[in-house]
């Protein structure tokens, strides 16, 4: 597949107004002319800043989570329609940090995914196994279970409006990247699983790899047939690193 890669930054809980201004401005300037599709997912308070600094650029922006509910008495939560209201396009769903620290079970993730689509947002659905699960040789079962929860709730056609990110938990923020072959194996499995239910959806699905992607390893990862881009944590906080990864796409 020779379509442009999709590179999405996940800032996690990092940032400040002045630091973001220089990071966003540098990314905006350096992204101009690159053929990769690019987005940054920032903390809620900085969405408005991303919107204004990135206006008119080829860098889209998004959030890192949303409520599974449309509205109501859910103090502290943010709904999909609120994000959509002022132009937010992407939202990360089911990141392993949400799954492990904040109780985002497969059922909650499926509900958040459905809520994102209902609000007109593009979910970036994260799946991936822990180190213990990989060592127990159940990577395929875990990833399939996580994916199937969403397919069961929203249907396979919903993936035509979504992005999937395979992020092995043991590779996130650890400096340990999955080898291109390890990542490709799981990406192929994800695509095959989707193809079993919807061939065309599978062919068009963007499946990103996440977990210690750096400018030095991006090209080889992105060269794999089923890797359509990356979800970038640490390296998305350094403009030159993030752009170096985008340029590999
Ligand atoms: P990392 O994070 O690139 O810092 O490993 C990826 C992610 O958590 O999305």
């Amino acid at each position: 597949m020779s379509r442009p890669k999709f590179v999405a930054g996940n800032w996690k809980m990092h940032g400040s107004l002045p630091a973001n201004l220089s990071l966003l401005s540098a990314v905006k300037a350096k992204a101009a002319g690159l053929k990769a599709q690019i987005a940054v997912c920032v903390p809620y308070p900085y969405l408005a800043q991303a919107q204004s600094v990135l206006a008119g650029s080829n860098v889209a922006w998004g959030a890192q989570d949303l409520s599974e509910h449309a509205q109501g008495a859910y103090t502290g939560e943010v709904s999909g329609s609120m994000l959509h209201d002022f132009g937010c396009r992407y939202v990360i769903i089911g990141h392993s940090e949400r799954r492990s620290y904040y109780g985002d079970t497969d059922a909650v993730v499926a509900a958040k995914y459905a809520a994102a689509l209902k609000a007109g947002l593009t979910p970036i659905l994260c799946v991936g196994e822990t180190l213990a699960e990989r060592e127990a040789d159940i990577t395929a079962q875990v990833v399939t279970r996580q994916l199937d929860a969403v397919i069961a709730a929203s249907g396979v056609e919903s993936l035509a409006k979504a992005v999937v990110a395979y992020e092995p938990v043991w590779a996130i923020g650890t400096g340990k990247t999955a080898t291109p072959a390890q990542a490709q194996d799981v990406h192929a499995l994800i695509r095959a699983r989707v193809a079993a239910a919807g061939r065309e959806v599978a062919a068009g699905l963007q499946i990103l790899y996440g977990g210690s992607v750096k400018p030095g390893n991006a090209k080889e990862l992105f060269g794999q047939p089923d890797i359509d881009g990356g979800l970038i944590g640490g390296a998305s906080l350094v403009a030159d690193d993030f752009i170096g990864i985008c340029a590999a796409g």
Side-chain angles (χ1 to χ4, degrees):
M1 260 176 267
S2 63
R3 56 191 167 150
K5 302 295 177 189
F6 179 25
V7 181
N10 172 12
W11 285 11
K12 310 193 180 187
M13 199 172 76
H14 293 287
S16 66
L17 286 173
N20 303 343
L21 181 60
S22 51
L23 176 56
L24 290 167
S25 307
V27 166
K28 174 180 174 166
K30 294 170 194 223
L34 291 182
K35 72 174 195 302
Q37 183 189 340
I38 305 170
V40 289
C41 295
V42 306
Y44 291 136
Y46 301 133
L47 286 166
Q49 187 186 25
Q51 179 193 41
S52 81
V53 177
L54 296 174
S57 77
N58 60 334
V59 183
W61 46 279
Q64 301 170 9
D65 189 29
L66 87 176
S67 170
E68 66 268 48
H69 303 290
Q71 61 171 351
Y74 302 104
T75 302
E77 292 291 278
V78 173
S79 75
S81 63
M82 293 173 186
L83 295 173
H84 188 262
D85 254 356
F86 63 103
C88 181
R89 175 144 168 226
Y90 294 100
V91 60
I92 297 173
I93 308 275
H95 189 278
S96 67
E97 287 149 19
R98 301 290 326 166
R99 292 181 190 261
S100 63
Y101 306 148
Y102 301 101
D104 283 14
T105 60
D106 287 341
V108 170
V109 169
K112 288 184 171 184
Y113 173 93
L117 285 173
K118 193 158 182 226
L121 301 168
T122 301
I124 301 175
L125 170 70
C126 299
V127 297
E129 82 288 0
T130 62
L131 183 58
E133 289 163 341
R134 175 158 283 262
E135 285 174 349
D137 211 14
I138 55 169
T139 297
Q141 282 109 297
V142 170
V143 169
T144 303
R145 189 201 72 224
Q146 292 171 337
L147 193 61
D148 284 356
V150 163
I151 294 176
S154 294
V156 74
E157 303 75 26
S158 71
L159 286 163
K161 295 195 177 125
V163 175
V164 172
Y166 167 58
E167 298 206 308
V169 179
W170 49 272
I172 295 177
T174 58
K176 270 194 223 161
T177 321
T179 64
Q182 280 174 324
Q184 165 58 26
D185 280 353
V186 181
H187 282 235
L189 170 116
I190 292 170
R191 202 177 304 280
R193 187 80 188 174
V194 175
R199 207 157 252 302
E200 263 179 49
V201 177
L205 181 64
Q206 288 177 310
I207 309 174
L208 314 184
Y209 168 78
S212 299
V213 180
K214 307 278 179 252
N217 59 25
K219 207 164 188 63
E220 212 191 336
L221 285 161
F222 293 175
Q224 302 301 307
D226 287 296
I227 300 186
D228 304 307
L231 182 56
I232 318 301
S236 72
L237 299 171
V238 179
D240 284 340
D241 287 353
F242 186 59
I243 289 297
I245 294 167
C246 295

